[in-house]
Amino acid sequence: MRATLAVSTAALALLASAPVAASPSVYTTAPVEPSAITVSAVGDGRADDTAAIQQAIDRAAQGPAGKGQGGGIVFLPQGTYRISRTLFLWPGVRIFGVGEKRPVIVLGARTPGFQRGVGHMLVFAGSPRERDPKTAREVAFPPPGSVPFNKDVADANPGTFYSALGNIDFRIMDGNPAATAIRFHSAQHSFVSHVDFDIGSGLAGLYHVANEAEDLHFKGGRYGILAEKPSPAWPFALVDATFEGQRDAAIREHEAGLTLLNVAIRDTPVGIEIDKGYGDWLWGQDVRFENVSKAGVIISNEKNVYTQVGFQNALASNTPVFARFRESGRTVPGSGAAYRVTSFTHGLTLPTPGAMGEYRTLSAAERIAALPAAEKPTIRGLPPVSEWVSARSLGAKGDNATDDTAALQKAIDTNRVVYLPTGFYRVSDTLRLRPDTVLVGLHPSLARIVLPDGTPAFQGVGAPRALVESASGGDAIVSGIGLDTGGINPRATGLLWKAGAASMVNDVKFQNGHGTNRFDGTRIDPYNNNGTGDADAAKRWDGQYASLWVTQGGGGTFANIWSPSTFANPGILISDTQTPGRIIQASVEHHVRTEIGLNRVSNWELLAPQTEGEAGESGDAVALEIRNSSNILVANFHGYRVTRTRKAAPAAVTLYNSHDIRFRNVHVNGESGLGTCDENGCATFLRLTKFPFENAIRDVTHGIDAREREFAVLDIPESAAPPVPATFQGAKVEKLADGFYGAGGGAVDAAGKLYFIDRQFQRIWSWSDAGKLEIVRDAALDPVNLTVDGSGNLLVLSSFGRNGTVYSLKPGSPDTELTVIPPTPAKAAARTVLPVNWWNNGEFRDQLDPRTYTFTTLAQMFARDMALPKAQEYVSPDGSIALPAWRVFAQGPADHRGLRFSNSLDSYGFIQGKAGDRVYVTNGSENRTYSGVVGRGGTLTGLKVFAERGGESVATDADGRVYVANGQVFVHSPDGAEIGRIDVPERPLQLLFGGADGRTLFILTHHALYAARIGG
């Protein structure tokens, strides 16, 4: 032991003294930041500085009021800092290296704990509180890989905001094969920037990814980046990065929403490897592959909708295979020793706007004599800190009380670069930037320009009035600050941007709404007690102009933007400009009508835009609205509605009089993750809302919907005609009834009569040829799904109560008759009731096996969870059927305002099967249909993929044909071959066969009931 330690110390001494080729420091001196905590450590590469660095981070986590909330800023001075265990970067804490040379954090040779599995040098963590003292429950989801493992530290999650690291290098010395530099698992407004990773013997530089990263350089290691699905499942943008000399692959990942801009990959066997059994929404622009021996990209799951791969202007030299497909083995070869791939796409491709998709691989490449010079950085560098003038030095207070308008405007007028130290700078009028102004901060939650509610100049009816306004043209920069327009300022727009194509807005949060902290660091609750408005009734949702408004010829680069203010509409608006512009990773959420809007715009790119519609405010919102525009690229678009959503919406994207809109990699969904722990450990629970957007895109001008919600390619032409509806065996689709708010949960009795629910109005309906549409029961009992037992009783699943409730009623019986059914221990039942659709992809738990470095696939997770028996069940009055009691998760209050989630509550409907029967179900998280064998306790075993289509529902006719609802109704023969399609005027959600002879296909949509007669 002593000999080993002596060798390690000598090696560290050599390391500390040896010159290291490194990227230049971005912060050559420390900004004048009174609130910053500066690390006090030795920094000589020999001493163990772990405790000193962690102590500084812990102090910053206490926030501006010292109450353990809000986060803070840490400065790490120039030096070489050896660590021996994991550092935890708490929520909202940002750590920056300062000095003429970047500081380096070093993992010494053979540091204990970094030899097996996965061990992280630094972890983006969740709450620093070790335990909840009120409940003494263990922390849910402690991050695997902390050294030593700490079960009392929470992992970062979709609510972990603002954490960041910049201008600090990482070095892993010999003998640490399990080491990674950073576990980068976080959410909005997190980033890693300006880092050189000398990975050496280690596993990876970044493990997990989040939000956005820029100016990263990876050297050596098994991988540069090893990544799973990001914490909130948003796309991840990597900008201005290089990879060199990785042993296996520069990037290995799945479902990371990987968006690459100006990235170079050199001297490695594989550029980007998508894991076996998985897909990704992978988009690359200006990507270079040099000396990549096996493949530029390895594509897995090639015939699945979640595999969407595209490149634009990729360059390659000495890379003989551009793309290799894992399962089929086919390749897209290179075009010579050096070549340019002007365009490459693979995935579900829509030939016309209204058509269903086909899997295609399209590539356009050309031989070139040699690679051109490297691109200039996509993200402009900030001026040196020596040019930053603190607004405090010019009289601004930032105390959340003083009117700082005059002081800030004077600072802008008299200085090119103005630095905002942490503080809330209240203003009463517009701050006007010069053409070359650089307005910079280091923390958009803590360095904030605030417009107080009721500011006179922003009241009444009138044209928009900006909180901050750029000059026309020029190359202004706004970076690292928050802009807060309050909730009672109807004329306010947060940032009115008219600057030119070279300008930049980076790391800016539009405050007020979700994720907003008060001056004391406490988090604002943006809702009243029933989620229908702000807690202050005077603050009107949708009562202001856009938060970010680019107009009057404005353009430039907009990176890492977070715009969730419910008071604004929209979150980002681009209008009246042909100046080139580019959005790189924007999170735009919680608006009432529109998240992102374009009107009279050309020459823009929206790269990795993510939207989120919340249940309370966004029931009618569209994710992206494009009007009167052309030459627009939308790539790696994620249009999301939360599980809590209770209302249908027609489309994520709406188009008006627009053409040459190029969609690449579109992901429109409505799943959400929940996690909980009990005495049996932690469980992961991912659910799919019943109300994701019905269509991905609606071309309002031409009356065409794009039903596919996951696809790789769609171009919008200047003119288009709706496709001719498809049918099967001449079946005619007939509308039987409409006017429903959200129909579903249907079942058919032995006579073929259909029963279904309109949940919003708590009514149970029926349809038969004899009685037509009838109301079976009208009562406030929160019915969600139902099924029918052998005696004709309806077994109704209700969302009422902590664990839901099951009750039974007889159609036609007096309305006063109803039987509540308690759960009982599971036992063999004549027929088991199962959800027809599922969502299961393990978002909250790492899927990496640290022994083999392989990932558990979605199919394996689905099979594992489907095979778990349920301990209890609900048995119908006649004992003929049993509904297993799936675990129910609760969110919010215990009363009617709370939300309940379970496999049975979230399904569009139920199926039944006897033990040993092979039945069909769909898994939306894979977009696949499976068959499985029914067992005791609601298990399904022996799962087999039946079709690469699935999502909403599946039904089987008397001849064994299988009908799958996924945008339209797809018909398959018993062997799985697709043999036809039935197009429906609205998106089909639940399919059931009924009618007197069992050959009527009932098709439930949100708002109507359709039927089609299917012949023999």
Side-chain angles (χ1 to χ4, degrees):
M1 175 65 75
R2 291 182 179 177
T4 301
L5 181 60
V7 171
S8 298
T9 303
L12 285 167
L14 179 63
L15 167 70
S17 61
V20 177
S23 299
S25 177
V26 174
Y27 308 108
T28 53
T29 58
V32 180
E33 179 52 71
S35 72
I37 306 297
T38 299
V39 174
S40 178
V42 178
D44 64 355
R46 302 178 181 88
D48 186 345
D49 290 319
T50 315
I53 298 173
Q54 189 63 62
Q55 183 182 49
I57 295 172
D58 293 348
R59 287 177 58 196
Q62 295 302 306
K67 297 180 179 179
Q69 294 172 309
I73 294 172
V74 176
F75 288 150
L76 182 66
Q78 174 181 326
T80 300
Y81 299 88
R82 183 175 71 86
I83 63 170
S84 60
R85 62 183 187 273
T86 298
L87 299 169
F88 295 102
L89 188 68
W90 306 121
V93 176
R94 293 184 161 197
I95 183 169
F96 299 98
V98 294
E100 287 294 331
K101 295 182 179 180
R102 285 188 196 168
V104 182
I105 297 178
V106 173
L107 187 67
R110 293 172 290 282
T111 299
F114 293 87
Q115 284 70 48
R116 295 182 180 178
V118 178
H120 309 300
M121 294 174 66
L122 183 143
V123 166
F124 278 62
S127 170
R129 294 186 297 273
E130 293 186 351
R131 289 178 181 270
D132 183 341
K134 296 180 181 178
T135 63
R137 294 178 67 182
E138 292 188 0
V139 165
F141 315 113
S146 63
V147 179
F149 175 69
N150 191 333
K151 64 182 178 60
D152 294 324
V153 172
D155 198 1
N157 57 65
T160 303
F161 306 138
Y162 304 115
S163 310
L165 180 146
N167 202 49
I168 299 171
D169 293 342
F170 285 80
R171 195 175 306 159
I172 299 172
M173 302 303 292
D174 290 342
N176 297 299
T180 79
I182 300 173
R183 177 185 169 88
F184 182 32
H185 192 62
S186 190
Q188 279 91 337
H189 258 202
S190 296
F191 65 78
V192 174
S193 66
H194 313 304
V195 179
D196 288 354
F197 296 92
D198 188 350
I199 309 167
S201 68
L203 177 63
L206 290 183
Y207 179 62
H208 281 289
V209 289
N211 227 52
E212 190 255 7
E214 59 195 59
D215 189 26
L216 306 185
H217 305 281
F218 302 87
K219 182 178 180 180
R222 186 170 179 179
Y223 307 101
I225 293 177
L226 178 60
E228 304 180 45
K229 181 192 289 290
S231 175
W234 309 149
F236 163 67
L238 177 64
V239 189
D240 300 331
T242 61
F243 297 81
E244 182 180 352
Q246 282 70 52
R247 297 188 295 276
D248 286 9
I251 301 173
R252 178 184 165 196
E253 57 90 18
H254 64 258
E255 296 193 352
L258 189 61
T259 309
L260 306 176
L261 285 89
N262 191 29
V263 172
I265 296 172
R266 304 184 183 96
D267 305 325
T268 184
V270 176
I272 305 154
E273 178 181 359
I274 301 174
D275 286 304
K276 181 179 180 180
Y278 282 96
D280 187 34
W281 307 272
L282 167 60
W283 178 254
Q285 286 184 219
D286 303 323
V287 178
R288 299 166 71 99
F289 300 94
E290 301 177 37
N291 302 322
V292 179
S293 59
K294 292 183 179 179
V297 57
I298 294 178
I299 300 170
S300 303
N301 236 16
E302 61 188 272
K303 288 196 174 181
N304 187 269
V305 296
Y306 292 112
T307 297
Q308 303 167 19
V309 178
F311 288 89
Q312 178 176 292
N313 190 38
L315 297 166
S317 67
N318 196 22
T319 301
V321 174
F322 182 76
R324 183 184 302 276
F325 294 86
R326 186 187 299 275
E327 290 84 5
S328 67
R330 67 190 181 96
T331 64
V332 176
S335 300
Y339 56 94
R340 182 193 309 274
V341 180
T342 55
S343 175
F344 174 92
T345 59
H346 169 78
L348 202 68
T349 300
L350 278 57
T352 60
M356 303 306 287
E358 304 169 356
Y359 288 100
R360 295 181 182 175
T361 304
L362 303 173
S363 181
E366 60 183 0
R367 184 190 298 265
I368 56 177
L371 298 189
E375 298 279 341
K376 65 179 182 181
T378 302
I379 303 295
R380 289 175 56 194
L382 295 174
V385 176
S386 60
E387 297 181 17
W388 298 13
V389 177
S390 170
R392 294 277 187 92
S393 69
L394 298 176
K397 301 296 184 183
D399 58 7
N400 201 38
T402 304
D403 187 338
D404 284 323
T405 311
L408 290 176
Q409 189 62 62
K410 180 180 179 181
I412 293 167
D413 291 344
T414 57
N415 297 275
R416 174 175 173 251
V417 186
V418 177
Y419 174 64
L420 290 184
T422 58
F424 281 29
Y425 299 84
R426 292 167 69 102
V427 300
S428 56
D429 205 347
T430 302
L431 297 177
R432 302 183 187 279
L433 308 183
R434 304 186 317 183
D436 62 348
T437 292
V438 177
L439 185 61
V440 61
L442 291 178
H443 201 303
S445 180
L446 301 179
R448 190 183 310 182
I449 300 173
V450 177
L451 187 67
D453 283 326
T455 300
F458 295 81
Q459 302 306 300
V461 175
R465 194 177 184 99
L467 175 61
V468 176
E469 181 176 336
S470 78
S472 295
D475 60 354
I477 296 176
V478 174
S479 175
I481 66 172
L483 298 175
D484 187 342
T485 55
I488 313 177
N489 294 301
R491 292 183 60 190
T493 185
L495 180 60
L496 191 65
W497 197 255
K498 300 179 289 183
S503 66
M504 182 176 74
V505 178
N506 190 5
D507 188 33
V508 170
K509 162 75 183 294
F510 293 89
Q511 300 284 355
N512 223 309
H514 292 254
T516 297
N517 294 332
R518 299 180 180 88
F519 185 59
D520 65 1
T522 59
R523 184 72 56 86
I524 289 175
D525 184 349
Y527 292 124
N528 58 20
N529 68 357
N530 62 1
T532 58
D534 192 84
D536 182 351
K539 295 181 178 179
R540 181 166 64 95
W541 287 351
D542 198 39
Q544 296 180 353
Y545 288 103
S547 289
L548 170 60
W549 193 341
V550 185
T551 189
Q552 298 179 36
T557 298
F558 301 80
N560 198 13
I561 305 297
W562 189 13
S563 184
S565 174
T566 309
F567 306 117
N569 186 75
I572 295 178
L573 176 60
I574 307 161
S575 70
D576 299 297
T577 183
Q578 295 184 2
T579 302
R582 174 186 278 178
I583 290 175
I584 303 171
Q585 205 293 306
S587 186
V588 190
E589 311 171 308
H590 310 299
H591 296 90
V592 174
R593 287 180 289 136
T594 308
E595 304 288 358
I596 303 173
L598 279 67
N599 187 23
R600 295 185 292 272
V601 176
S602 298
N603 310 317
W604 272 68
E605 297 178 342
L606 279 60
L607 308 178
Q610 165 262 316
T611 67
E612 178 182 273
E614 252 297 350
E617 58 268 35
S618 306
D620 296 306
V622 297
L624 173 61
E625 181 178 86
I626 302 178
R627 296 181 280 156
N628 310 303
S629 298
S630 63
N631 190 23
I632 307 295
L633 170 66
V634 182
N636 268 10
F637 167 75
H638 187 175
Y640 166 69
R641 303 184 92 207
V642 301
T643 304
R644 300 175 288 275
T645 301
R646 297 186 176 95
K647 185 177 184 181
V653 181
T654 53
L655 305 175
Y656 299 83
N657 296 313
S658 296
H659 62 91
D660 191 17
I661 314 297
R662 303 178 302 283
F663 290 96
R664 299 293 183 267
N665 300 1
V666 169
H667 177 38
V668 173
N669 70 328
E671 97 273 11
S672 181
L674 296 172
T676 191
C677 292
D678 59 17
E679 65 277 5
N680 297 315
C682 294
T684 302
F685 203 69
L686 256 166
R687 297 275 38 92
L688 180 68
T689 178
K690 292 188 180 184
F691 298 107
F693 291 106
E694 292 188 60
N695 305 288
I697 300 168
R698 171 162 287 179
D699 186 336
V700 179
T701 303
H702 299 103
I704 300 173
D705 289 337
R707 290 278 179 90
E708 302 280 18
R709 292 193 294 223
E710 299 280 346
F711 60 86
V713 178
L714 172 61
D715 292 333
I716 304 297
E718 192 162 3
S719 61
V724 176
T727 187
F728 176 68
Q729 293 189 345
K732 180 181 178 182
V733 176
E734 176 187 4
K735 181 186 287 188
L736 302 180
D738 63 9
F740 306 111
Y741 188 94
V748 174
D749 68 11
K753 188 173 186 176
L754 172 69
Y755 298 89
F756 63 96
I757 291 165
D758 190 348
R759 183 177 179 184
Q760 173 71 16
F761 297 108
Q762 303 186 69
R763 277 183 166 171
I764 299 175
W765 298 85
S766 70
W767 174 273
S768 65
D769 291 338
K772 304 301 181 185
L773 186 67
E774 300 177 87
I775 297 174
V776 176
R777 192 62 68 95
D778 186 7
L781 295 170
D782 299 329
V784 175
N785 282 320
L786 55 81
T787 190
V788 186
D789 72 7
S791 302
N793 300 297
L794 299 185
L795 199 67
V796 183
L797 175 63
S798 164
S799 62
F800 190 83
R802 169 61 182 81
N803 292 310
T805 303
V806 176
Y807 60 87
S808 176
L809 60 91
K810 189 79 169 181
S813 63
D815 289 354
T816 54
E817 294 182 5
L818 179 144
T819 302
V820 175
I821 299 176
T824 55
K827 57 184 180 181
R831 298 181 70 83
T832 300
V833 180
L834 299 167
V836 71
N837 68 298
W838 303 70
W839 185 278
N840 187 313
N841 74 351
E843 178 181 333
F844 275 88
R845 56 190 174 203
D846 285 10
Q847 302 304 329
L848 183 70
D849 184 334
R851 298 165 298 179
T852 62
Y853 294 111
T854 59
F855 287 94
T856 304
T857 67
L858 292 175
Q860 290 168 336
M861 281 185 277
F862 187 49
R864 177 191 61 199
D865 292 348
M866 296 292 279
L868 295 175
K870 308 302 170 290
Q872 292 187 305
E873 63 188 10
Y874 300 93
V875 180
S876 68
D878 69 353
S880 64
I881 61 172
L883 172 64
W886 274 274
R887 186 176 184 179
V888 176
F889 290 76
Q891 235 180 26
D895 58 25
H896 67 280
R897 296 170 297 166
L899 302 163
R900 308 290 180 263
F901 305 90
S902 75
N903 288 311
S904 50
L905 285 167
D906 298 331
S907 177
Y908 282 114
F910 292 146
I911 58 171
Q912 293 185 14
K914 295 183 297 184
D917 283 353
R918 183 164 285 275
V919 298
Y920 296 94
V921 295
T922 71
N923 182 11
S925 65
E926 295 183 272
N927 215 79
R928 284 187 170 124
T929 297
Y930 283 85
S931 71
V933 177
V934 179
R936 183 173 176 175
T939 62
L940 273 182
T941 57
L943 289 180
K944 298 178 181 179
V945 176
F946 176 76
E948 292 287 349
R949 278 279 179 187
E952 287 89 348
S953 185
V954 59
T956 308
D957 69 12
D959 300 305
R961 293 177 297 232
V962 181
Y963 299 71
V964 176
N966 183 227
Q968 300 289 2
V969 179
F970 293 83
V971 187
H972 297 260
S973 64
D975 64 2
E978 185 179 324
I979 57 175
R981 198 177 80 220
I982 302 172
D983 287 358
V984 185
E986 301 176 58
R987 187 180 193 90
L989 299 176
Q990 190 186 7
L991 307 178
L992 305 103
F993 274 96
D997 60 359
R999 291 193 174 275
T1000 297
L1001 177 63
F1002 290 115
I1003 305 168
L1004 284 167
T1005 71
H1006 282 311
H1007 305 302
L1009 169 64
Y1010 294 87
R1013 289 286 301 166
I1014 307 297

